[in-house]
Amino acid sequence: MKRYFAVLFFLSGSFILLSQDFEGNYKDRTDSLFFSSGKVIFNISGFGALFTQMVGEGEYEYFNDYLLVNTSDYSGEKSVSEPINGSKKDSVVVKVVDPDNYSVQGALTEFLSESNKVIRGIITDDQGKSQHPNDQKIKKVKVTNLGYDDIVFDVVQGKDFLVKLAKNNVIENQTVAFKVKSEDEETLSILLLSDNFDPGKDKMKSLEKLDKKAQKKNVLTKRLKKEYISTYKRR
């Protein structure tokens, strides 16, 4: 029994040490993984067809070179909507702007039913506006644009909407799976396997399957270097 508890304590201690190895900020240009006290904030782009920055945060688990991030609500900038006084009695107007309040042309606004069925999809004009005749079936609006955080919000009858799209693709309340290996004391190689991981009945088999698929596609890994804050020494 004593031997059993000794082995259990050793394994538990090994996991803690492994987690502590990741403490700090690992970065390469705009890509980064910031580990602190069992949590991680990620900002990653450029894997395969992923051209936009993917950001999120949450608690993580690490085993067999796989890093699973159970994302929670993102504390950084996200897209927001604001109901404003309606400009037309017979239509609902959606105005879309970027973080600097410039109009966003070409954003897709989808007018949805209660069951999220698309009633109509409209592209914003050069003023960042789209409009749809008032319809009692319309309950929600979804706004998407490449490089920005998507947003879905409820319709309020008699109101128009101002939507400010935040940069990046914000991941919340999903599990993101990476393959992460320590190249040396200061370098991590990372590979995105899934931004919405479903473990199924066997978590390890699901991860290995995603890993093999990424290898077949020859997806390149990224290498992030640990950053150290230099201290100023007065002479």
Side-chain angles (χ1 to χ4, degrees):
M1 183 64 71
K2 288 183 178 179
R3 184 177 180 182
Y4 168 79
F5 281 113
V7 172
L8 181 62
F9 176 79
F10 173 77
L11 291 175
S12 176
S14 297
F15 179 79
I16 293 172
L17 287 174
L18 184 58
S19 297
Q20 288 177 341
D21 286 344
F22 284 157
E23 289 291 303
N25 191 34
Y26 294 81
K27 189 174 182 179
D28 178 43
R29 298 179 183 176
T30 60
D31 298 315
S32 65
L33 290 175
F34 176 68
F35 297 89
S36 179
S37 303
K39 294 185 178 181
V40 62
I41 301 174
F42 59 83
N43 190 328
I44 300 294
S45 68
F47 284 104
L50 181 65
F51 295 107
T52 60
Q53 293 289 129
M54 183 180 74
V55 298
E57 62 184 87
E59 297 183 346
Y60 71 90
E61 48 184 318
Y62 178 74
F63 53 93
N64 289 23
D65 295 334
Y66 296 115
L67 177 74
L68 297 182
V69 183
N70 300 308
T71 60
S72 54
D73 290 342
Y74 184 59
S75 60
E77 186 178 53
K78 296 186 287 187
S79 294
V80 294
S81 65
E82 176 188 354
I84 56 179
N85 292 330
S87 57
K88 297 184 178 181
K89 292 183 179 180
D90 60 346
S91 301
V92 55
V93 178
V94 179
K95 166 77 172 179
V96 182
V97 299
D98 67 11
D100 297 316
N101 293 314
Y102 288 105
S103 299
V104 177
Q105 182 179 9
L108 174 62
T109 54
E110 295 178 303
F111 296 86
L112 311 175
S113 67
E114 187 68 43
S115 61
N116 294 321
K117 180 181 178 180
V118 177
I119 296 174
R120 188 181 180 188
I122 305 173
I123 300 298
T124 56
D125 60 20
D126 57 359
Q127 295 182 331
K129 292 183 178 180
S130 64
Q131 67 179 53
H132 189 278
N134 282 330
D135 187 339
Q136 293 296 322
K137 294 181 180 179
I138 295 175
K139 301 299 181 182
K140 305 174 186 177
V141 175
K142 181 178 182 180
V143 181
T144 59
N145 197 36
L146 185 64
Y148 294 90
D149 176 34
D150 300 348
I151 186 172
V152 179
F153 54 91
D154 294 331
V155 166
V156 180
Q157 293 299 321
K159 293 289 186 180
D160 290 343
F161 297 90
L162 175 64
V163 177
K164 180 176 286 190
L165 292 181
K167 292 287 186 179
N168 305 324
N169 178 22
V170 178
I171 307 297
E172 294 182 312
N173 305 311
Q174 298 173 191
T175 299
V176 180
F178 296 96
K179 185 172 185 179
V180 178
K181 298 182 69 174
S182 180
E183 298 288 327
D184 53 47
E185 293 182 356
E186 297 184 342
T187 309
L188 294 180
S189 66
I190 67 168
L191 179 66
L192 175 66
L193 300 179
S194 173
D195 62 1
N196 191 10
F197 176 62
D198 180 5
K201 295 181 180 180
D202 192 320
K203 182 187 296 185
M204 184 55 64
K205 282 187 177 179
S206 297
L207 286 168
E208 290 174 344
K209 185 177 180 180
L210 289 172
D211 193 357
K212 290 179 181 178
K213 186 182 294 185
Q215 291 179 29
K216 286 182 179 179
K217 292 181 178 179
N218 293 319
V219 180
L220 297 177
T221 60
K222 291 176 174 286
R223 283 176 171 76
L224 309 184
K225 287 282 188 179
K226 190 169 186 178
E227 282 194 336
Y228 293 93
I229 300 175
S230 58
T231 56
Y232 172 74
K233 293 183 179 180
R234 181 176 295 177
R235 295 182 178 178

